[in-house]
Amino acid sequence: MKLYDSHIHLARLPQPLNLARSLHQSGYKYCAVACEPWEWTALDEIWEKAGGEGWLEGCGKAYGIHPMIAAKIAGDLDKIMEDLRRRLEKDPNAQAGEAGLDKRYEGYEPGGVQEEIFRTQARMAMEFGRDLQIHCVGDYGRVIRILREVGFGAGAGTGIWPDAGVKLCRPVFHRFGADAGIVKAGLSLGAIFSIHADSFRKKATREALALIPTENLRFETDADESFVLDANEVPQQFAERLVQKLSETINALP
């Protein structure tokens, strides 16, 4: 089985260079997502070193600002957004995000700083023609509305894009947990739905998964520091655990 983890926080995991090597040896490919400025820098360093060894073949990365830090960076927002723009410009294959809304953190209210930062990243994704890794805990409907407002969905499903010079960019609903209505709305935008083990917890989400075409499905572990059982865990053992977790998620699909 070929395994592709569509959302993993490599820079937040212990011994990330050794882990990259172990995952490469296991044939495990992934998108490494960096969701705050320190993580962007750490990921770049990993990419430079591991890429030189050939351990990142078939892997990708994403740069974004997670809603958990939106209120904390509001005072430096212009500088941080310019840094994000430079990184996306430098790497034409990088995705945008993890970006979105989360009711557990400050600035979640309509028109708040979370929404401002999410909207800006969605516009960048459109501008550069990149997939957008989306985090949502709370209001999927508001996320869909913002995506439509910035232009996602034009030509989705038709094979036609308004401007031949614009690349197709898709919303990627990371750790998807919504219902059939959001699946239908997302598909109208050409969305990808990234399935996590948690996606099977709610009955409405389990039923909605049956509506998603195979080509719009991805699978993920969302592995970060919370995934670590032991700081001294051997990278090879950790890699084996990732393989097992992702395989279980894929096999659980109805």
Side-chain angles (χ1 to χ4, degrees):
M1 177 191 298
K2 291 184 178 180
L3 295 175
Y4 182 80
D5 190 336
S6 70
H7 196 105
I8 179 174
H9 295 279
L10 185 64
R12 293 178 177 266
L13 295 171
Q15 303 182 54
L17 277 175
N18 290 331
L19 179 57
R21 177 177 58 192
S22 295
L23 291 173
H24 171 69
Q25 292 169 345
S26 299
Y28 190 100
K29 309 303 180 183
Y30 49 86
C31 179
V33 179
C35 53
E36 53 183 307
W38 75 262
E39 199 175 353
W40 304 343
T41 301
L43 186 60
D44 282 347
E45 292 173 355
I46 294 166
W47 226 253
E48 181 178 354
K49 295 174 182 176
E53 299 293 337
W55 300 339
L56 298 172
E57 183 182 354
C59 297
K61 57 183 172 178
Y63 301 104
I65 298 172
H66 194 287
M68 68 182 176
I69 66 163
K72 298 176 183 177
I73 67 168
D76 294 317
L77 191 54
D78 290 344
K79 179 181 177 181
I80 290 171
M81 283 300 186
E82 185 55 37
D83 187 9
L84 177 59
R85 171 177 290 277
R86 283 196 300 267
R87 291 173 190 273
L88 291 173
E89 286 177 330
K90 184 177 179 180
D91 186 347
N93 296 312
Q95 296 181 22
E98 179 175 353
L101 303 174
D102 193 318
K103 65 183 180 181
R104 300 170 297 180
Y105 300 106
E106 187 179 352
Y108 171 73
E109 69 279 357
V113 66
Q114 285 190 34
E115 186 173 302
E116 177 188 355
I117 292 174
F118 174 48
R119 189 183 299 272
T120 300
Q121 291 178 91
R123 285 177 175 149
M124 278 191 196
M126 285 293 299
E127 177 184 349
F128 292 117
R130 311 297 174 83
D131 285 353
L132 176 65
Q133 293 267 352
I134 295 174
H135 172 104
C136 184
V137 176
D139 194 344
Y140 273 93
R142 181 152 50 119
V143 166
I144 293 286
R145 185 170 65 253
I146 291 169
L147 292 173
R148 285 179 174 152
E149 287 171 359
V150 303
F152 275 83
T158 67
I160 299 172
W161 205 242
D163 181 345
V166 177
K167 296 179 182 178
L168 180 65
C169 48
R170 303 165 295 184
V172 181
F173 287 102
H174 142 65
R175 205 163 180 158
F176 181 67
D179 60 16
I182 297 301
V183 168
K184 293 174 183 177
L187 289 174
S188 75
L189 304 179
I192 298 296
F193 300 86
S194 187
I195 309 305
H196 181 273
D198 285 354
S199 301
F200 300 100
R201 290 184 178 180
K202 294 190 296 187
K203 183 175 183 289
T205 303
R206 291 197 305 272
E207 292 174 347
L209 297 182
L211 302 177
I212 303 173
T214 302
E215 60 268 24
N216 294 80
L217 275 175
R218 302 291 185 274
F219 300 90
E220 66 173 85
T221 60
D222 193 21
D224 60 9
E225 59 270 38
S226 68
F227 199 88
V228 179
L229 299 178
D230 180 354
N232 297 314
E233 190 171 9
V234 175
Q236 182 58 43
Q237 293 175 336
F238 193 92
E240 290 170 358
R241 230 168 18 94
L242 283 172
V243 170
Q244 180 181 0
K245 190 69 173 178
L246 189 64
S247 298
E248 289 173 355
T249 302
I250 293 171
N251 292 332
L253 190 69

